[in-house]
Amino acid sequence: SQNESMTNMMNGQVYEKLVSRDKALNIVPGLAVSWQQTSPLVWRFKLRPGVKFHDGSAMTADDVVFSVKRAQEPTSQVNNYATAVGTAVKVDDLTVDFKLDKFNPIFLQHMDSLWIMSKAWCEKYKVTKPLDFKNKEETHAATNAMGTGPYLLTSRAPGIKTTYKRN
């Protein structure tokens, strides 16, 4: 639920985004293999096939749509970026459209702020909304994670120790 440097660095070990940055900070494919602006207010993303979450389940358009809606919740500290990418709509299992209310000239930069989470995992652990950090809410997602990234979170003791295992 936090959008600050240390948390983002830790999340980047476990989660991935649809777009990423290369060494020159150019936007490049991440979980999406391609994207195109099909009209001034619609962007279409093709997802990388065969991507698996750490539990072995497939990453699909349903997870992308869910993750964007979750990031748009009022308790999310990336709400302003998530809201700026509009409404995510599943076209098929590997295609998502983003329908905007108004033109966004930095749409792809906003996409680089949104981690993709497993809808099924969030539902299982009742973390479909970001925790309310300001009111010191604690949820399963505060000390556990399950993404598609290069590392699995094996243990988390905030302020003490965090342990990862190579994916």
Side-chain angles (χ1 to χ4, degrees), residues 44-77:
R44 176 162 285 177
F45 281 72
K46 295 289 187 178
L47 305 179
R48 190 170 9 123
V51 175
K52 303 281 186 199
F53 284 102
H54 298 151
D55 68 354
S57 63
M59 191 273 304
T60 70
D62 292 322
D63 300 299
V64 173
V65 170
F66 166 79
S67 296
V68 172
K69 286 181 182 176
R70 186 180 192 276
Q72 291 172 339
E73 290 288 333
T75 55
S76 168
Q77 290 186 8

Side-chain angles (χ1 to χ4, degrees), residues 1-12 15 17 70-81 112-115 117 129-139 141-144 156-159 162:
S1 71
Q2 287 185 282
N3 181 25
E4 51 88 26
S5 298
M6 183 61 77
T7 301
N8 289 337
M9 287 187 299
M10 293 174 69
N11 283 339
Y15 296 105
K17 304 169 189 170
R70 186 180 192 276
Q72 291 172 339
E73 290 288 333
T75 55
S76 168
Q77 290 186 8
V78 295
N79 171 288
N80 54 335
Y81 307 121
D112 187 36
S113 300
L114 306 176
W115 307 106
M117 298 181 75
K129 295 183 179 183
L131 63 81
D132 185 348
F133 183 77
K134 289 179 184 174
N135 289 314
K136 302 184 187 313
E137 181 181 23
E138 290 292 330
T139 69
T143 55
N144 296 274
R156 171 98 173 106
T162 300

Side-chain angles (χ1 to χ4, degrees), residues 18-19 27-29 32-37 43-46 108:
L18 294 183
V19 299
I27 292 178
V28 296
V33 293
S34 66
W35 52 87
Q36 67 179 42
Q37 192 171 9
W43 286 80
R44 176 162 285 177
F45 281 72
K46 295 289 187 178
L108 290 173

Side-chain angles (χ1 to χ4, degrees), residues 34-46 91 95-100 103 107:
S34 66
W35 52 87
Q36 67 179 42
Q37 192 171 9
T38 60
S39 77
L41 299 179
V42 178
W43 286 80
R44 176 162 285 177
F45 281 72
K46 295 289 187 178
V91 175
T95 310
V96 179
D97 280 352
F98 288 85
K99 298 183 178 187
L100 298 120
F103 182 72
F107 173 84

